Amino acid sequence: MNTVLREYDLKQQQFTVLNEIIRFGPLSQKELVDKLLFGKSNISRIIKILSDKKLIQITSAPMDRRLTLLVETAEGDSLWKNCIEVLNQASNIFVSQ
């Protein structure tokens, strides 16, 4: 998995956070901490990296502007789909052998 993710300039924890946001988002930072059991500072660092890479964006919740939500960008969604496809292909090759 790490070999595939390295091609996309991602680490496993970064991909895990992106995956959660895409599959279950929009999510708050607290929801990510609770779901993934990562430390709060670790999640903050990963969110900063994913945001800087323009794979996610931080938005205000529509009903409560004090709450921030994390959502994927089109670029993040595209990268995620490519990663999933390559990971599935690698898994299929591994299982067939």
Side-chain angles (χ1 to χ4, degrees), residues 10 18 22 46-58 71-79:
L10 286 176
L18 179 63
I22 289 174
I46 293 169
I47 289 169
K48 170 105 172 81
I49 291 167
L50 294 175
S51 180
D52 288 349
K53 291 181 179 186
K54 304 208 183 315
L55 301 177
I56 64 169
Q57 62 183 356
I58 301 165
V71 296
E72 77 273 9
T73 62
E75 185 177 335
D77 187 58
S78 177
L79 182 132

Side-chain angles (χ1 to χ4, degrees), residues 15-26:
F15 180 76
T16 300
V17 170
L18 179 63
N19 185 58
E20 288 296 313
I21 292 169
I22 289 174
R23 292 185 66 223
F24 303 108

